[in-house]
Structures are given as C-alpha cells and as structure tokens.
Coordinates of all heavy atoms in Angstrom, one line a residue:
M1 N 17.4 -27.9 17.5 CA 17.2 -27.0 16.4 C 16.0 -26.0 16.7 O 15.1 -26.4 17.2 CB 17.0 -27.7 15.1 CG 18.2 -28.2 14.4 SD 18.0 -28.4 12.7 CE 17.1 -30.0 12.7
P2 N 16.1 -24.8 16.2 CA 15.0 -23.9 16.3 C 13.8 -24.3 15.5 O 14.0 -25.2 14.6 CB 15.5 -22.5 15.8 CG 16.8 -22.8 15.2 CD 17.3 -24.2 15.6
K3 N 12.6 -23.8 15.9 CA 11.5 -24.3 15.1 C 10.5 -23.1 14.9 O 10.5 -22.1 15.6 CB 10.7 -25.4 15.8 CG 10.2 -25.1 17.1 CD 9.4 -26.3 17.7 CE 8.7 -26.0 19.0 NZ 9.4 -25.7 20.1
I4 N 9.7 -23.3 13.8 CA 8.6 -22.4 13.6 C 7.3 -23.1 14.0 O 7.1 -24.2 13.5 CB 8.5 -22.0 12.1 CG1 9.7 -21.2 11.6 CG2 7.2 -21.1 11.8 CD1 9.8 -21.0 10.1
R5 N 6.6 -22.6 14.9 CA 5.3 -23.2 15.3 C 4.2 -22.4 14.7 O 4.2 -21.2 14.6 CB 5.1 -23.2 16.8 CG 3.7 -23.5 17.3 CD 3.6 -23.9 18.7 NE 4.0 -25.3 18.8 CZ 3.3 -26.3 19.5 NH1 2.2 -25.9 20.1 NH2 3.7 -27.5 19.5
I6 N 3.3 -23.2 14.0 CA 2.1 -22.6 13.4 C 0.9 -22.8 14.2 O 0.5 -24.0 14.4 CB 2.0 -23.1 11.9 CG1 3.3 -23.0 11.2 CG2 0.8 -22.4 11.2 CD1 3.3 -23.8 9.9
E7 N 0.3 -21.8 14.6 CA -1.0 -21.9 15.4 C -2.1 -21.4 14.6 O -1.9 -20.5 13.7 CB -0.9 -21.0 16.7 CG 0.2 -21.6 17.7 CD -0.2 -22.9 18.3 OE1 -1.3 -23.5 18.0 OE2 0.5 -23.3 19.2
P8 N -3.4 -21.8 14.7 CA -3.8 -22.7 15.8 C -3.6 -24.2 15.4 O -4.0 -25.1 16.2 CB -5.3 -22.4 15.9 CG -5.7 -22.0 14.5 CD -4.5 -21.3 13.9
Q9 N -3.0 -24.5 14.3 CA -2.9 -25.9 13.8 C -1.9 -26.7 14.7 O -2.0 -27.9 14.8 CB -2.4 -26.0 12.4 CG -3.4 -25.4 11.4 CD -3.2 -24.0 11.1 OE1 -2.6 -23.2 11.9 NE2 -3.8 -23.5 10.1
G10 N -1.0 -26.0 15.4 CA 0.0 -26.7 16.3 C 1.0 -27.4 15.5 O 1.6 -28.4 16.0
I11 N 1.3 -27.0 14.3 CA 2.4 -27.6 13.5 C 3.7 -27.0 13.8 O 3.9 -25.8 13.9 CB 2.1 -27.3 12.0 CG1 0.7 -27.9 11.6 CG2 3.2 -27.9 11.1 CD1 0.3 -27.5 10.2
D12 N 4.7 -27.9 14.1 CA 6.1 -27.5 14.3 C 7.0 -27.8 13.2 O 6.9 -29.0 12.7 CB 6.6 -28.2 15.6 CG 6.1 -27.6 16.9 OD1 5.7 -26.4 16.9 OD2 6.0 -28.3 17.9
V13 N 7.8 -26.9 12.7 CA 8.7 -27.1 11.6 C 10.1 -26.7 12.1 O 10.3 -25.6 12.4 CB 8.3 -26.3 10.4 CG1 9.4 -26.4 9.3 CG2 7.0 -26.7 9.8
E14 N 11.0 -27.7 12.2 CA 12.3 -27.4 12.7 C 13.2 -26.9 11.5 O 12.9 -27.3 10.4 CB 13.0 -28.7 13.3 CG 12.3 -29.1 14.6 CD 13.2 -30.1 15.3 OE1 14.0 -30.8 14.7 OE2 13.1 -30.1 16.6
F15 N 14.1 -26.1 11.8 CA 15.0 -25.6 10.7 C 16.4 -25.4 11.3 O 16.6 -25.1 12.5 CB 14.5 -24.3 10.1 CG 14.4 -23.2 11.0 CD1 15.4 -22.2 11.0 CD2 13.3 -23.0 11.9 CE1 15.4 -21.1 11.9 CE2 13.3 -21.9 12.7 CZ 14.3 -21.0 12.7
D16 N 17.4 -25.5 10.4 CA 18.8 -25.2 10.7 C 19.1 -23.8 10.1 O 19.2 -23.7 8.9 CB 19.7 -26.3 10.2 CG 21.1 -26.0 10.5 OD1 21.5 -24.9 10.9 OD2 21.9 -26.9 10.3
P17 N 19.3 -22.8 11.0 CA 19.5 -21.4 10.4 C 20.8 -21.3 9.6 O 20.9 -20.4 8.8 CB 19.5 -20.5 11.6 CG 19.6 -21.4 12.8 CD 19.2 -22.8 12.4
D18 N 21.7 -22.2 9.8 CA 22.9 -22.2 9.0 C 22.9 -23.0 7.7 O 23.8 -23.0 6.9 CB 24.1 -22.7 9.9 CG 24.3 -21.8 11.1 OD1 24.1 -20.5 10.9 OD2 24.5 -22.3 12.2
R19 N 21.8 -23.7 7.5 CA 21.6 -24.5 6.3 C 20.2 -24.3 5.7 O 19.3 -25.2 5.9 CB 21.9 -26.0 6.5 CG 23.3 -26.2 7.0 CD 23.6 -27.6 7.3 NE 23.4 -28.4 6.2 CZ 23.4 -29.8 6.2 NH1 23.7 -30.4 7.4 NH2 23.2 -30.5 5.1
P20 N 19.9 -23.1 5.1 CA 18.6 -22.9 4.6 C 18.1 -23.9 3.6 O 19.0 -24.4 2.8 CB 18.7 -21.5 4.0 CG 20.1 -21.1 3.9 CD 20.9 -22.1 4.8
P21 N 16.9 -24.2 3.6 CA 16.3 -25.3 2.7 C 16.3 -25.0 1.2 O 16.3 -26.0 0.4 CB 14.9 -25.6 3.2 CG 14.5 -24.4 4.0 CD 15.8 -23.7 4.5
L22 N 16.3 -23.8 0.8 CA 16.4 -23.4 -0.6 C 15.2 -24.0 -1.4 O 15.4 -24.8 -2.4 CB 17.7 -23.8 -1.2 CG 18.9 -23.1 -0.6 CD1 20.2 -23.7 -1.2 CD2 18.9 -21.6 -0.8
S23 N 14.0 -23.7 -1.1 CA 12.9 -24.2 -1.8 C 12.8 -23.5 -3.2 O 12.0 -23.9 -4.1 CB 11.6 -23.8 -1.0 OG 11.4 -22.4 -1.0
G24 N 13.5 -22.4 -3.4 CA 13.4 -21.7 -4.6 C 12.5 -20.4 -4.5 O 12.3 -19.7 -5.5
F25 N 11.8 -20.3 -3.3 CA 10.9 -19.2 -3.1 C 11.3 -18.3 -1.9 O 11.5 -18.9 -0.9 CB 9.5 -19.7 -3.0 CG 9.0 -20.4 -4.2 CD1 9.0 -21.8 -4.2 CD2 8.5 -19.7 -5.3 CE1 8.5 -22.5 -5.4 CE2 8.0 -20.4 -6.4 CZ 8.0 -21.8 -6.5
G26 N 11.3 -17.1 -2.1 CA 11.6 -16.2 -1.0 C 13.1 -16.1 -0.7 O 13.9 -16.8 -1.4
R27 N 13.5 -15.3 0.2 CA 14.9 -15.2 0.6 C 15.3 -16.6 1.2 O 14.6 -17.2 1.9 CB 15.1 -14.1 1.6 CG 14.8 -12.7 1.0 CD 14.9 -11.6 2.0 NE 16.3 -11.5 2.5 CZ 16.6 -10.8 3.6 NH1 15.7 -10.3 4.4 NH2 17.9 -10.7 3.9
P28 N 16.5 -17.1 0.9 CA 17.0 -18.3 1.4 C 16.9 -18.3 3.0 O 17.4 -17.3 3.6 CB 18.4 -18.5 0.9 CG 18.4 -17.6 -0.3 CD 17.5 -16.5 -0.1
G29 N 16.3 -19.3 3.6 CA 16.2 -19.3 5.0 C 15.0 -18.5 5.6 O 14.8 -18.4 6.8
S30 N 14.2 -17.9 4.7 CA 13.0 -17.2 5.1 C 12.0 -18.1 5.6 O 12.0 -19.3 5.4 CB 12.5 -16.3 4.0 OG 12.0 -17.1 2.9
I31 N 11.0 -17.5 6.3 CA 9.9 -18.3 6.8 C 9.2 -19.0 5.6 O 8.9 -20.3 5.7 CB 8.8 -17.4 7.6 CG1 9.4 -16.8 8.8 CG2 7.6 -18.2 7.9 CD1 8.6 -15.7 9.4
L32 N 9.0 -18.4 4.5 CA 8.4 -19.0 3.3 C 9.2 -20.1 2.8 O 8.7 -21.2 2.6 CB 8.2 -17.9 2.2 CG 7.6 -18.4 0.9 CD1 6.1 -18.7 1.1 CD2 7.8 -17.5 -0.2
D33 N 10.5 -19.9 2.7 CA 11.4 -20.9 2.2 C 11.4 -22.2 3.1 O 11.2 -23.3 2.6 CB 12.9 -20.4 2.2 CG 13.9 -21.3 1.7 OD1 13.6 -22.1 0.8 OD2 15.1 -21.2 2.1
I34 N 11.4 -22.0 4.4 CA 11.4 -23.1 5.4 C 10.0 -23.8 5.3 O 10.0 -25.1 5.2 CB 11.6 -22.6 6.8 CG1 13.0 -22.0 6.9 CG2 11.4 -23.7 7.8 CD1 13.3 -21.2 8.2
L35 N 8.9 -23.1 5.3 CA 7.6 -23.8 5.3 C 7.4 -24.5 4.0 O 6.9 -25.7 4.1 CB 6.5 -22.8 5.5 CG 6.5 -22.0 6.9 CD1 5.2 -21.2 7.1 CD2 6.7 -23.0 8.0
L36 N 7.7 -23.9 2.8 CA 7.4 -24.6 1.6 C 8.3 -25.9 1.5 O 7.8 -26.9 1.0 CB 7.7 -23.7 0.4 CG 6.7 -22.5 0.2 CD1 7.1 -21.7 -1.0 CD2 5.3 -23.1 0.0
A37 N 9.5 -25.8 2.0 CA 10.4 -26.9 1.9 C 9.9 -28.1 2.8 O 10.3 -29.3 2.6 CB 11.8 -26.5 2.3
H38 N 9.1 -27.8 3.8 CA 8.6 -28.8 4.6 C 7.1 -29.2 4.3 O 6.4 -29.8 5.1 CB 8.6 -28.4 6.1 CG 10.1 -28.4 6.6 ND1 11.0 -27.4 6.4 CD2 10.8 -29.4 7.3 CE1 12.1 -27.7 6.9 NE2 12.0 -28.9 7.5
G39 N 6.6 -28.7 3.1 CA 5.3 -29.1 2.7 C 4.2 -28.4 3.3 O 3.0 -28.8 3.2
V40 N 4.5 -27.2 4.0 CA 3.4 -26.4 4.6 C 3.0 -25.4 3.5 O 3.8 -24.6 3.1 CB 3.9 -25.7 5.8 CG1 2.8 -24.8 6.4 CG2 4.3 -26.8 6.9
E41 N 1.7 -25.4 3.1 CA 1.2 -24.5 2.1 C 1.1 -23.1 2.6 O 0.5 -22.9 3.7 CB -0.1 -25.0 1.5 CG 0.1 -26.0 0.4 CD 1.0 -25.5 -0.7 OE1 0.8 -24.4 -1.2 OE2 2.0 -26.2 -1.1
I42 N 1.5 -22.2 1.9 CA 1.3 -20.8 2.3 C 1.4 -20.0 0.9 O 2.2 -20.2 0.1 CB 2.4 -20.3 3.3 CG1 2.3 -18.8 3.5 CG2 3.8 -20.7 2.9 CD1 3.1 -18.2 4.7
D43 N 0.4 -19.0 0.8 CA 0.3 -18.3 -0.5 C 1.6 -17.5 -0.7 O 2.3 -17.0 0.2 CB -0.8 -17.3 -0.4 CG -2.2 -18.0 -0.5 OD1 -2.2 -19.2 -0.9 OD2 -3.2 -17.4 -0.1
H44 N 2.0 -17.4 -2.0 CA 3.2 -16.7 -2.4 C 3.1 -16.3 -3.9 O 3.9 -16.7 -4.7 CB 4.5 -17.5 -2.1 CG 4.5 -18.9 -2.7 ND1 3.7 -19.9 -2.3 CD2 5.2 -19.3 -3.7 CE1 4.0 -21.0 -3.0 NE2 4.9 -20.7 -3.9
V45 N 2.1 -15.5 -4.1 CA 1.7 -15.2 -5.5 C 2.8 -14.6 -6.4 O 3.0 -15.0 -7.5 CB 0.5 -14.2 -5.5 CG1 0.2 -13.7 -6.9 CG2 -0.8 -15.0 -5.0
C46 N 3.7 -13.8 -5.8 CA 4.8 -13.2 -6.6 C 6.0 -14.1 -6.6 O 7.0 -13.7 -7.1 CB 5.1 -11.8 -6.0 SG 6.0 -11.8 -4.5
G47 N 5.9 -15.2 -6.0 CA 7.1 -16.1 -6.0 C 8.1 -15.8 -4.9 O 9.2 -16.4 -4.9
G48 N 7.7 -15.0 -4.0 CA 8.7 -14.6 -2.9 C 9.6 -13.5 -3.1 O 10.7 -13.4 -2.7
N49 N 9.0 -12.5 -4.0 CA 9.9 -11.4 -4.4 C 9.5 -10.1 -3.8 O 9.8 -9.0 -4.3 CB 9.8 -11.3 -5.9 CG 10.5 -12.5 -6.6 OD1 11.6 -12.8 -6.2 ND2 9.8 -13.1 -7.5
C50 N 8.7 -10.1 -2.7 CA 8.3 -8.9 -1.9 C 7.5 -8.0 -2.8 O 7.6 -6.7 -2.8 CB 9.6 -8.1 -1.4 SG 9.2 -6.9 -0.2
S51 N 6.6 -8.6 -3.6 CA 5.8 -7.7 -4.4 C 4.3 -8.0 -4.4 O 3.5 -7.5 -5.3 CB 6.3 -7.5 -5.8 OG 6.7 -8.7 -6.4
C52 N 3.8 -8.8 -3.4 CA 2.4 -9.1 -3.4 C 1.7 -9.1 -2.1 O 0.6 -8.8 -1.9 CB 2.1 -10.5 -4.0 SG 2.6 -11.9 -3.0
A53 N 2.4 -9.4 -1.0 CA 1.9 -9.5 0.4 C 1.0 -10.6 0.7 O 0.4 -10.7 1.7 CB 1.3 -8.1 0.8
T54 N 0.9 -11.6 -0.2 CA 0.0 -12.8 0.1 C 0.7 -13.7 1.0 O 0.0 -14.6 1.5 CB -0.3 -13.5 -1.2 OG1 0.9 -14.0 -1.9 CG2 -1.2 -12.7 -2.2
C55 N 2.0 -13.6 1.3 CA 2.7 -14.4 2.2 C 2.7 -13.9 3.7 O 3.4 -14.3 4.5 CB 4.1 -14.6 1.8 SG 5.1 -13.1 1.9
H56 N 1.8 -12.9 3.9 CA 1.6 -12.2 5.2 C 1.4 -13.3 6.3 O 0.6 -14.2 6.2 CB 0.4 -11.3 5.1 CG -0.1 -10.7 6.4 ND1 -1.4 -10.4 6.7 CD2 0.6 -10.4 7.5 CE1 -1.5 -9.9 7.9 NE2 -0.3 -9.9 8.4
V57 N 2.2 -13.1 7.4 CA 2.0 -14.0 8.6 C 2.0 -13.0 9.8 O 2.6 -11.9 9.8 CB 3.2 -15.0 8.8 CG1 3.1 -16.1 7.6 CG2 4.5 -14.4 8.9
I58 N 1.4 -13.5 10.8 CA 1.3 -12.7 12.1 C 2.2 -13.5 13.1 O 2.0 -14.7 13.3 CB -0.1 -12.6 12.6 CG1 -0.9 -11.8 11.6 CG2 -0.2 -11.9 13.9 CD1 -2.4 -11.8 11.8
V59 N 3.1 -12.8 13.6 CA 4.0 -13.4 14.6 C 3.4 -13.3 16.0 O 3.1 -12.2 16.5 CB 5.4 -12.7 14.6 CG1 6.4 -13.3 15.6 CG2 6.0 -12.7 13.2
L60 N 3.1 -14.5 16.6 CA 2.5 -14.5 17.9 C 3.5 -14.5 19.0 O 3.2 -14.1 20.1 CB 1.6 -15.8 18.0 CG 0.5 -16.0 16.9 CD1 -0.2 -17.3 17.1 CD2 -0.4 -14.8 17.0
D61 N 4.7 -15.0 18.7 CA 5.7 -15.1 19.7 C 7.1 -15.2 19.1 O 7.2 -15.7 18.0 CB 5.5 -16.4 20.6 CG 6.3 -16.3 21.9 OD1 6.5 -15.2 22.4 OD2 6.7 -17.4 22.4
G62 N 8.1 -14.5 19.6 CA 9.4 -14.6 19.1 C 9.8 -13.4 18.2 O 10.8 -13.5 17.5
M63 N 9.0 -12.3 18.3 CA 9.4 -11.1 17.5 C 10.9 -10.7 17.7 O 11.5 -10.2 16.8 CB 8.5 -9.9 17.9 CG 7.3 -9.7 17.0 SD 7.5 -9.7 15.2 CE 7.4 -8.0 14.8
E64 N 11.3 -10.9 18.9 CA 12.7 -10.5 19.2 C 13.7 -11.4 18.5 O 14.9 -11.1 18.5 CB 12.9 -10.6 20.8 CG 12.9 -11.9 21.4 CD 11.5 -12.5 21.7 OE1 10.5 -11.9 21.2 OE2 11.4 -13.6 22.3
N65 N 13.3 -12.5 18.0 CA 14.2 -13.4 17.3 C 14.2 -13.2 15.8 O 14.8 -13.9 15.0 CB 13.8 -14.9 17.5 CG 13.9 -15.3 19.0 OD1 14.8 -14.7 19.7 ND2 13.1 -16.2 19.4
L66 N 13.6 -12.0 15.4 CA 13.6 -11.7 13.9 C 14.3 -10.5 13.6 O 14.4 -9.6 14.5 CB 12.1 -11.5 13.5 CG 11.2 -12.7 13.6 CD1 9.8 -12.4 13.3 CD2 11.7 -13.9 12.7
P67 N 14.9 -10.4 12.4 CA 15.6 -9.1 12.1 C 14.7 -8.0 11.9 O 13.5 -8.2 11.7 CB 16.3 -9.5 10.7 CG 15.5 -10.6 10.2 CD 14.9 -11.4 11.4
E68 N 15.2 -6.8 12.0 CA 14.4 -5.6 11.8 C 13.7 -5.6 10.4 O 14.3 -6.2 9.4 CB 15.3 -4.3 11.8 CG 15.8 -4.1 13.2 CD 15.3 -2.8 13.8 OE1 14.9 -1.9 13.0 OE2 15.1 -2.8 15.0
I69 N 12.5 -5.1 10.3 CA 11.9 -5.1 9.0 C 12.5 -4.0 8.1 O 12.9 -3.0 8.5 CB 10.3 -4.7 9.2 CG1 9.5 -5.0 8.0 CG2 10.2 -3.3 9.8 CD1 8.0 -5.0 8.3
S70 N 12.6 -4.4 6.8 CA 13.2 -3.5 5.9 C 12.2 -2.5 5.3 O 11.0 -2.8 5.5 CB 13.8 -4.2 4.7 OG 12.8 -4.7 3.9
E71 N 12.6 -1.4 4.8 CA 11.7 -0.5 4.2 C 10.8 -1.1 3.1 O 9.6 -0.8 3.0 CB 12.5 0.8 3.6 CG 11.7 2.1 3.8 CD 12.6 3.2 3.5 OE1 13.6 3.5 4.2 OE2 12.4 3.9 2.5
D72 N 11.4 -1.9 2.3 CA 10.7 -2.6 1.2 C 9.6 -3.4 1.8 O 8.5 -3.5 1.3 CB 11.6 -3.4 0.3 CG 12.4 -2.6 -0.7 OD1 12.1 -1.4 -0.8 OD2 13.3 -3.2 -1.3
E73 N 10.0 -4.3 2.8 CA 9.0 -5.2 3.4 C 7.9 -4.4 4.0 O 6.7 -4.7 3.9 CB 9.7 -6.1 4.4 CG 8.7 -7.1 5.0 CD 9.3 -7.9 6.1 OE1 10.5 -7.9 6.3 OE2 8.5 -8.6 6.8
E74 N 8.2 -3.3 4.7 CA 7.2 -2.5 5.3 C 6.2 -1.9 4.4 O 5.0 -1.9 4.6 CB 7.9 -1.4 6.1 CG 7.0 -0.8 7.3 CD 7.9 -0.1 8.3 OE1 9.1 0.3 8.0 OE2 7.3 0.2 9.4
D75 N 6.8 -1.3 3.3 CA 5.9 -0.8 2.2 C 5.0 -1.8 1.7 O 3.8 -1.5 1.5 CB 6.8 -0.2 1.1 CG 7.4 1.1 1.5 OD1 7.1 1.6 2.6 OD2 8.4 1.6 0.8
R76 N 5.4 -3.0 1.4 CA 4.6 -4.0 0.8 C 3.6 -4.5 1.8 O 2.5 -4.8 1.5 CB 5.5 -5.2 0.3 CG 4.8 -6.3 -0.4 CD 3.9 -5.8 -1.5 NE 4.7 -5.0 -2.5 CZ 4.1 -4.2 -3.4 NH1 2.8 -4.2 -3.6 NH2 4.8 -3.6 -4.3
L77 N 4.0 -4.7 3.0 CA 3.2 -5.1 4.1 C 1.9 -4.2 4.3 O 0.9 -4.7 4.6 CB 4.0 -5.3 5.4 CG 3.5 -6.2 6.5 CD1 3.1 -7.6 6.0 CD2 4.6 -6.3 7.5
D78 N 2.1 -2.9 4.0 CA 1.0 -2.0 4.2 C -0.2 -2.4 3.3 O -1.3 -1.9 3.6 CB 1.5 -0.6 3.8 CG 2.2 0.1 5.0 OD1 2.1 -0.4 6.1 OD2 3.0 1.0 4.7
T79 N 0.0 -3.1 2.3 CA -1.1 -3.5 1.4 C -1.7 -4.8 1.8 O -2.7 -5.3 1.2 CB -0.5 -3.7 -0.1 OG1 0.3 -4.8 -0.2 CG2 0.2 -2.5 -0.5
A80 N -1.2 -5.5 2.9 CA -1.8 -6.8 3.3 C -3.1 -6.6 4.0 O -3.3 -5.5 4.7 CB -0.8 -7.5 4.2
Q81 N -4.0 -7.6 4.0 CA -5.2 -7.6 4.7 C -4.9 -8.0 6.2 O -4.0 -8.8 6.4 CB -6.2 -8.5 4.1 CG -6.6 -8.0 2.7 CD -7.7 -9.0 2.1 OE1 -7.8 -10.1 2.5 NE2 -8.4 -8.5 1.1
D82 N -5.8 -7.6 7.1 CA -5.7 -8.0 8.5 C -4.3 -7.7 9.1 O -3.8 -8.5 9.9 CB -6.0 -9.5 8.6 CG -7.4 -9.8 8.0 OD1 -8.3 -9.0 8.2 OD2 -7.5 -10.9 7.4
L83 N -3.8 -6.6 8.8 CA -2.5 -6.2 9.3 C -2.5 -6.0 10.8 O -3.4 -5.5 11.3 CB -2.1 -4.9 8.6 CG -0.6 -4.5 8.5 CD1 0.2 -5.5 7.8 CD2 -0.5 -3.1 7.9
T84 N -1.4 -6.5 11.4 CA -1.3 -6.3 12.9 C 0.1 -5.7 13.1 O 0.9 -5.6 12.2 CB -1.4 -7.6 13.7 OG1 -0.1 -8.3 13.5 CG2 -2.5 -8.4 13.2
E85 N 0.4 -5.3 14.4 CA 1.7 -4.7 14.7 C 2.8 -5.8 14.6 O 4.0 -5.4 14.6 CB 1.6 -4.2 16.1 CG 0.8 -2.9 16.2 CD 1.1 -2.0 17.4 OE1 1.8 -2.5 18.3 OE2 0.6 -0.9 17.4
T86 N 2.4 -7.0 14.6 CA 3.5 -8.1 14.5 C 3.4 -8.8 13.2 O 3.8 -9.9 13.1 CB 3.4 -9.1 15.7 OG1 2.1 -9.7 15.7 CG2 3.6 -8.3 17.0
S87 N 2.8 -8.2 12.2 CA 2.8 -8.8 10.8 C 4.1 -8.7 10.2 O 4.9 -7.7 10.4 CB 1.8 -8.0 10.0 OG 0.5 -8.2 10.4
R88 N 4.5 -9.8 9.4 CA 5.7 -9.8 8.6 C 5.4 -10.5 7.3 O 4.4 -11.2 7.2 CB 6.8 -10.6 9.3 CG 7.3 -9.9 10.6 CD 7.9 -8.6 10.5 NE 9.1 -8.6 9.6 CZ 10.4 -8.5 10.1 NH1 10.6 -8.6 11.4 NH2 11.4 -8.5 9.3
L89 N 6.3 -10.3 6.3 CA 6.2 -11.0 5.1 C 7.0 -12.3 5.2 O 8.2 -12.2 5.5 CB 6.6 -10.2 3.9 CG 5.7 -9.1 3.5 CD1 6.3 -8.4 2.3 CD2 4.3 -9.5 3.2
A90 N 6.4 -13.5 5.0 CA 7.2 -14.7 5.2 C 8.3 -14.8 4.2 O 9.4 -15.4 4.6 CB 6.2 -15.9 5.0
C91 N 8.2 -14.2 3.0 CA 9.3 -14.4 2.0 C 10.5 -13.5 2.3 O 11.6 -13.8 1.8 CB 8.8 -14.1 0.6 SG 8.4 -12.4 0.3
Q92 N 10.4 -12.6 3.2 CA 11.4 -11.6 3.5 C 12.1 -11.8 4.9 O 13.1 -11.3 5.2 CB 10.9 -10.2 3.4 CG 10.4 -9.8 2.0 CD 11.5 -10.0 0.9 OE1 12.5 -9.4 1.0 NE2 11.2 -10.9 0.0
T93 N 11.4 -12.5 5.7 CA 11.8 -12.6 7.1 C 12.5 -13.9 7.4 O 12.0 -15.0 7.3 CB 10.5 -12.5 8.0 OG1 9.8 -11.4 7.6 CG2 10.9 -12.4 9.5
I94 N 13.8 -13.7 7.9 CA 14.7 -14.9 8.1 C 14.8 -15.1 9.7 O 15.5 -14.3 10.3 CB 16.0 -14.6 7.5 CG1 15.8 -14.5 6.0 CG2 17.0 -15.8 7.9 CD1 17.1 -14.2 5.2
P95 N 14.2 -16.1 10.2 CA 14.3 -16.4 11.6 C 15.6 -17.1 12.0 O 16.2 -17.8 11.1 CB 13.1 -17.3 11.9 CG 12.9 -18.1 10.6 CD 13.3 -17.1 9.5
R96 N 16.1 -16.8 13.2 CA 17.3 -17.5 13.6 C 17.0 -18.4 14.9 O 17.8 -19.3 15.2 CB 18.4 -16.5 14.0 CG 18.9 -15.6 12.9 CD 19.7 -16.2 11.9 NE 20.9 -16.9 12.4 CZ 21.8 -17.6 11.7 NH1 21.5 -17.7 10.4 NH2 22.8 -18.1 12.2
E97 N 15.9 -18.1 15.5 CA 15.5 -18.8 16.7 C 14.0 -19.2 16.6 O 13.4 -18.8 15.6 CB 15.7 -17.9 18.0 CG 17.1 -17.5 18.2 CD 18.1 -18.5 18.7 OE1 17.6 -19.6 19.1 OE2 19.3 -18.4 18.5
D98 N 13.5 -19.7 17.7 CA 12.1 -20.2 17.7 C 11.1 -19.0 17.5 O 11.3 -17.9 18.1 CB 11.7 -20.7 19.1 CG 12.3 -22.1 19.3 OD1 13.0 -22.6 18.4 OD2 12.1 -22.6 20.4
I99 N 10.1 -19.2 16.7 CA 9.0 -18.2 16.5 C 7.7 -19.0 16.4 O 7.7 -20.2 16.1 CB 9.2 -17.3 15.3 CG1 9.2 -18.1 14.0 CG2 10.4 -16.4 15.5 CD1 9.0 -17.2 12.8
T100 N 6.6 -18.3 16.8 CA 5.3 -18.8 16.6 C 4.5 -17.9 15.7 O 4.6 -16.7 15.9 CB 4.6 -19.0 18.0 OG1 5.3 -19.8 18.8 CG2 3.2 -19.6 17.8
I101 N 3.9 -18.4 14.7 CA 3.2 -17.6 13.8 C 1.7 -18.1 13.5 O 1.4 -19.2 13.9 CB 3.9 -17.5 12.4 CG1 3.9 -18.9 11.7 CG2 5.2 -16.9 12.5 CD1 4.3 -18.9 10.2
R102 N 0.9 -17.2 13.0 CA -0.4 -17.6 12.5 C -0.5 -17.1 11.0 O 0.0 -16.0 10.7 CB -1.5 -16.9 13.3 CG -2.9 -17.3 12.9 CD -3.9 -16.8 13.9 NE -4.1 -15.4 14.0 CZ -4.8 -14.7 13.2 NH1 -5.4 -15.2 12.2 NH2 -4.9 -13.4 13.3
I103 N -1.0 -17.9 10.2 CA -1.2 -17.6 8.8 C -2.6 -17.1 8.6 O -3.5 -17.9 8.7 CB -0.9 -18.8 7.9 CG1 0.5 -19.3 8.1 CG2 -1.1 -18.4 6.4 CD1 0.8 -20.6 7.4
P104 N -2.8 -15.8 8.4 CA -4.2 -15.2 8.3 C -4.9 -15.7 7.1 O -4.3 -16.1 6.1 CB -4.0 -13.7 8.4 CG -2.6 -13.5 7.8 CD -1.8 -14.7 8.2
Ligands
FES1 S1 5.4 -13.9 -1.7 FE1 4.8 -12.0 -2.5 S2 5.5 -10.7 -1.0 FE2 6.0 -12.6 -0.2

C-alpha cells in the first residue's frame, strides 16, 4: 500500500487510495483525511474546506504523485506562512502513491 511519510518525525501512514478513510475533514482521501484518521494531528481550522491554509504541508518527495493544484487551492495557499514551491493544502490534495511531507 502507498504511504505518507512525515519528516523529520519519520512517521509512516499507509493508505488505500481506493478506500479513503473518511475522517469527516477535507476531501475524502486527502492528506488531511488520511492523517487525521490515523491519529496524526495537523491543524485544520476551517474543517478542511479550503478557506484557512492552516493545513499547509510541504512536499519533500513525490510531487509527481499528486494531482495538479486547483486555482482555489493555489489562491488559499498564497496566504500560508513559510510557503515553498512544493507547498500544498493537506485538505485539498489527494495522493495516489508514496509521498513524503513536512508539516511546517
Ligand atoms: S483545513 Fe483549512 S484550508 Fe485546509
């Protein structure tokens, strides 16, 4: 199964892309949905509705395994702190393969 690796903590969270965990936050199968369903704390002030940017994550590896960023996500991401070229919103980004992230 694919996994999300969180650095520098070295936490691995496996997920089945065809069976999203449905934590109730963020898009089903999003990084936020997967992490919360596995007990990994990550801020999500707006509840995963693409309106706060507190779920900002930095993708360290596996950008090619993520869908293109939407205009809505890009606009919201612009308000995040410590923005990088590989920043994404965890509540909007649905991985299908292995990725490595850092939670700033
Ligand atoms: S939780 Fe608010 S934008 Fe992702």
Side-chain angles (χ1 to χ4, degrees):
M1 272 205 288
K3 65 177 186 295
I4 298 172
R5 167 160 280 228
I6 305 165
E7 295 290 7
Q9 295 88 344
I11 297 169
D12 284 334
V13 175
E14 289 195 335
F15 65 96
D16 180 346
D18 296 322
R19 298 178 59 188
L22 299 176
S23 68
F25 296 100
R27 296 174 67 195
S30 64
I31 296 170
L32 180 71
D33 184 29
I34 293 166
L35 296 189
L36 291 179
H38 287 84
V40 177
E41 273 309 312
I42 173 168
D43 288 344
H44 53 289
V45 169
C46 75
N49 295 311
C50 197
S51 41
C52 72
T54 58
C55 66
H56 170 211
V57 296
I58 296 168
V59 181
L60 303 176
D61 197 26
M63 263 314 254
E64 69 280 6
N65 295 330
L66 296 174
E68 292 249 327
I69 192 166
S70 71
E71 213 169 293
D72 278 353
E73 183 185 347
E74 203 163 12
D75 287 349
R76 183 52 55 193
L77 203 47
D78 278 342
T79 68
Q81 294 182 340
D82 304 322
L83 200 61
T84 75
E85 289 200 348
T86 59
S87 289
R88 296 296 298 259
L89 291 182
C91 69
Q92 300 300 303
T93 307
I94 299 177
R96 301 286 302 174
E97 301 287 343
D98 289 356
I99 58 167
T100 301
I101 63 168
R102 182 166 69 78
I103 302 171

